[in-house]
Structures are given as structure tokens and as C-alpha cells.
Amino acid sequence: MRPIFLTLLIALAFWLRPAAAQMTPETAARAVAATLIVRAEGGPSRFLGSAFLYGAQDRAVTNAHVVGRAKTVRLEAQDGMSVTARVIAIDHARDLALLALDAPMGPPLQPGGPVPVGAPVYAVGAPLEAGFTLTAGIVSALGRQIAPTQPVRFIQHAAPVNPGSSGGPLLDAAGRVVGVNTRIADGSRFFVGIAYAVPVAQVTRFLSDGALPAHAPGMQVRALGPRMRTALGHTGPGILVEEVRAGSPARAAGLRAGDILTRAAGDVLSRPGDLAFALAASKTEMRVTYLRDGAARDVVLDLTPRAGPSLSTGGQAARGTEYKMADMGLILDPDGTINGVVSQGIGYLMGLSHGDRIAAIDGRAVGDLPADWASDMRFDRPLLLRIALSGGGTRHYVLDPWADPVGLRPSSGANVLDRDVVVFDGL
């Protein structure tokens, strides 16, 4: 009888346990009504992503990579209302943008507080262009810095999102905004159980204090692994300078490849991502401590914005110029098989993946192209690519380097031969 009694006691405790908060249908309806589809303004009504009313009926928040360089966009609500919105503020470091609507729409969403791991959350947006879609999951981790050059600690969650969800809100059970959905786990084309949102506290700081500074010290760094530490005889914190660009603030301050950076802006540097936070906390200069030949030295980097060329990260090509496939962030075999995709490069943001193969360009089989087409051939126009997917099947993609850019952040994948190298250069 004792096991039966114990079983009944456990069942009673389970039945009486506090129920996890769940979003009500009424709250869900309000959240969906405040979420918007973002389209390009003028010409073809090209889908860009998601946004949501926030703080006021004539203000909306989305991702910087959703609006790209557009000055105006078109916003559509669930009830069919459509208005023009102006991009009035943008923060590339946080990947946020603020829109001013030409006419007010429905009631805006309000901010929520911090959410713990395990809390239920809800994502609203237009995944795969399926507008006004709500999905549910939980907070799976907090404080994730997923791009070493981006000074943001993201909320990791399990509410399904897909391309098109970017810029939509992440909500708690009461329908309050806890984040802005921004990214899917790197290396995956579609949702695989891990998604990231910019915490609402970062949105509040963006709206009150403006964008984070876009400093470009002009160097590449890498984390110090155990073998490197042994070889260099270094046991403390620090990151290794891989390269310093000519004409950069880092070069002007006297930094060289092989230096070990130990502190920046007063903070200890243990990994490349720490440098991003130090840069974000600096204004026109930053003090750096480094080791060279075992001796500690201090320098001050001049971070005053300056014009000049920046190191390519596989991003947008300049209007009116030619480009190669490598400029699009694609590393190809001669048969068109993709062996590498630079994170946040044009190819990556199109959805191309390692193992996919370019079978034809503008209807012409790659076998009919010059032998060096994958590495050296230059193009001066958008291309229609027929892609043989690694999992089977085919897709067509338009490769257009001059379209509104969808990824404007620095990328750790700029050195495609070594993904541990992190580029701190111009946006």
C-alpha cells in the first residue's frame, strides 16, 4: 500500500503545482494587431521583414538589417491598414531601427521586465512571409554574445522563428515586449530550436540615448587557445593581435601583430567579444594595455570618426563596381560547390549554406563558364543563381549586391580561412 500512497501523493502535488503563465487569446490578439509587415517603399512591394508598434501609435521598432539603407518603408497591419514610415534612428551595433509612421495605427506594445530561463515567451512576425504568425517557446539562455564584434548579450529562446521574423517582438505571457527577434542560430538556414532576441533594455537605451558608437580600430584579433598560450608563455587574460591595418587608429597608436591586448577602457580582455563592449563604452579615444616581448605597455587609440576605405567582410558591393563571388562571402569549388559562407555576407544573408552548389548563373550551366569563374570571374550586374541544395532539390536566388543591404554588422567570418579571427573594422 505504501507505494500506491506515495504515487497518489506525487500525483496530487503535480496536480496542485502552480501552472506556468500562458498567454490568453485576448492578449495574443492584441500582440498580433500591434505587429507589422515591413515592405520596400516604391516600386515592387518587396518583403523585408517584421516590426511592431512600440511606445506610441505612430512609432515602430524593427531591426537595422530589415530596413537596410532605406529612408522610408511601407508598414502593413493585420486589419489591412498600410502606411509609409520614415527611418528616423538606426543602431547597427545593436541591430535596431526606429520608424516614424505617417499616420497612427493600433495600440502599441509596452515593455516588460527581465525574463528568467524557463519562462514562456512568444514570437510574433512574418516567418517565411507568413504574416501575423505567433509561436511559443521558452527562454533557453541569457546573456549570449553571439557575434564577437557586437556589444549585445542576447536572449536565447525556443519560440520558432524563421527568415522574415526579424524585427518582430518577443513577448512574455502578459503580452509585454521582452526583446526584438533578430537572428537564428548561425549556420542554419531555418529554425532548429535556437533563436536570439535583443533584450528590451537595449531597445530602451537606444530610444533614450541613441545609437552605440561605430568605432573602427582597424585590427583583427583572436582568442588565445591553450596551445598558443603555451607557445607564447602567457598564462593571464588577453587576446592576440592577428593583423593591424595600415592607416588605422591601431596602427597610429603603435600596435602590431603579435601584441597581446590585456585591457581596454579599463576592462580586462579575456576573449574578442570583450573588446566590442570596451569600444561601445568609449567615445573619442580608448586606452589599451598590451604585452610585447613580455613588457606591459599602454597606448591611447584615437577613435574619432574618419573617412577611408574599410576592410571587406563579404558585404555589399559599391554601386557601379564589379564584384567576384568571394566579395559576396562565398568560397567556391570550381564546380560551384560552396565550401565556405562568410557570416553576414550577402551569400549568407540570401540563405546559401555550406554544401549547396551553384549549378547555373542566369540560366547558363557553370560547366560552360571559364575555368576560373568561381575565383576570378567578375560580374557587374545582379545574377540569377540556380542552387542545387545540399539536402536535395533546387532553388533560384537573385544575387544583387546593390539591393538594400540586409546585413550591416562587422563579421568574425571576414577571414574565411580561419573563423577564429575577429575583424574590428568599419561597418
Side-chain angles (χ1 to χ4, degrees):
M1 295 296 295
R2 199 166 186 177
I4 295 176
F5 176 76
L6 184 60
T7 300
L8 291 173
L9 189 62
I10 292 172
L12 181 63
F14 181 81
W15 182 65
L16 293 175
R17 79 194 192 286
Q22 298 294 319
M23 183 178 285
T24 65
E26 294 77 12
T27 300
R30 288 194 296 270
V32 171
T35 304
L36 309 167
I37 290 175
V38 185
R39 297 189 184 278
E41 174 75 354
S45 185
R46 184 164 57 86
F47 172 81
L48 298 177
S50 304
F52 58 96
L53 298 170
Y54 186 72
Q57 289 182 289
D58 63 348
R59 292 292 185 271
V61 169
T62 185
N63 287 141
H65 79 259
V66 168
V67 297
R69 293 182 181 174
K71 301 300 183 185
T72 61
V73 294
R74 195 78 183 165
L75 300 179
E76 298 176 1
Q78 187 184 31
D79 63 6
M81 184 176 181
S82 177
V83 302
T84 297
R86 293 171 291 111
V87 181
I88 60 173
I90 199 158
D91 187 336
H92 295 304
R94 294 188 181 105
D95 196 11
L96 295 172
L98 177 64
L99 311 177
L101 283 62
D102 285 355
M105 301 181 86
L109 297 174
Q110 300 300 322
V115 285
V117 172
V121 285
Y122 302 81
V124 192
L128 306 177
E129 301 190 39
F132 316 110
T133 295
L134 183 145
T135 57
I138 63 168
V139 174
S140 49
L142 296 171
R144 298 289 204 206
Q145 187 189 20
I146 56 176
T149 54
Q150 195 173 9
V152 177
R153 293 186 174 94
F154 289 84
I155 299 170
Q156 179 183 316
H157 67 87
V161 297
N162 275 294
S165 297
S166 290
L170 184 70
L171 308 168
D172 62 16
R176 297 168 302 199
V177 179
V178 298
V180 182
N181 290 308
T182 299
R183 298 180 66 164
I184 303 169
D186 280 348
S188 54
R189 177 173 300 170
F190 301 118
F191 179 71
V192 292
I194 296 177
Y196 300 102
V198 179
V200 70
Q202 294 289 341
V203 180
T204 300
R205 290 171 191 160
F206 164 53
L207 298 183
S208 62
D209 302 335
L212 290 174
H215 294 317
M219 58 182 169
Q220 299 180 6
V221 301
R222 65 158 69 236
L224 281 168
R227 291 183 178 178
M228 290 185 180
R229 290 180 178 278
T230 299
L232 296 173
H234 181 73
T235 58
I239 55 178
L240 182 66
V241 177
E242 180 84 357
E243 182 181 345
V244 176
R245 185 166 62 82
S248 67
R251 175 68 65 85
L255 292 175
R256 301 197 309 232
D259 291 341
I260 298 175
L261 308 183
T262 58
R263 301 183 74 92
D267 295 330
V268 174
L269 301 177
S270 297
R271 55 185 181 178
D274 296 336
L275 183 57
F277 287 100
L279 285 165
S282 302
K283 294 183 179 179
T284 58
E285 62 181 29
M286 181 176 70
R287 181 170 294 277
V288 175
T289 301
Y290 68 97
L291 296 175
R292 181 183 297 166
D293 300 326
R297 311 182 187 195
D298 284 344
V299 294
V300 175
L301 269 64
D302 179 6
L303 300 176
T304 304
R306 66 192 69 192
S310 63
L311 190 67
S312 171
T313 58
Q316 188 190 24
R319 169 66 70 178
T321 65
E322 298 177 333
Y323 65 93
K324 297 189 292 186
M325 287 296 170
D327 298 324
M328 301 298 97
L330 299 175
I331 307 304
L332 305 174
D333 284 345
D335 69 348
T337 299
I338 299 173
N339 268 330
V341 183
V342 174
S343 176
Q344 302 307 314
I346 295 295
Y348 171 87
L349 294 160
M350 286 172 58
L352 299 178
S353 298
H354 183 278
D356 290 347
R357 182 174 61 85
I358 300 176
I361 298 178
D362 289 347
R364 184 181 178 188
V366 297
D368 296 332
L369 297 175
D372 62 352
W373 75 271
S375 59
D376 296 331
M377 190 171 180
R378 297 181 177 274
F379 303 92
D380 60 2
R381 65 188 186 283
L383 303 174
L384 177 63
L385 306 182
R386 186 170 77 242
I387 303 297
L389 302 177
S390 57
T394 58
R395 296 287 188 277
H396 283 85
Y397 296 88
V398 175
L399 180 64
D400 185 356
W402 301 289
D404 290 336
V406 289
L408 297 172
R409 297 188 297 277
S411 165
S412 63
N415 183 337
V416 294
L417 299 179
D418 191 342
R419 296 184 64 84
D420 290 333
V421 174
V422 180
V423 177
F424 284 92
D425 212 325
L427 289 173

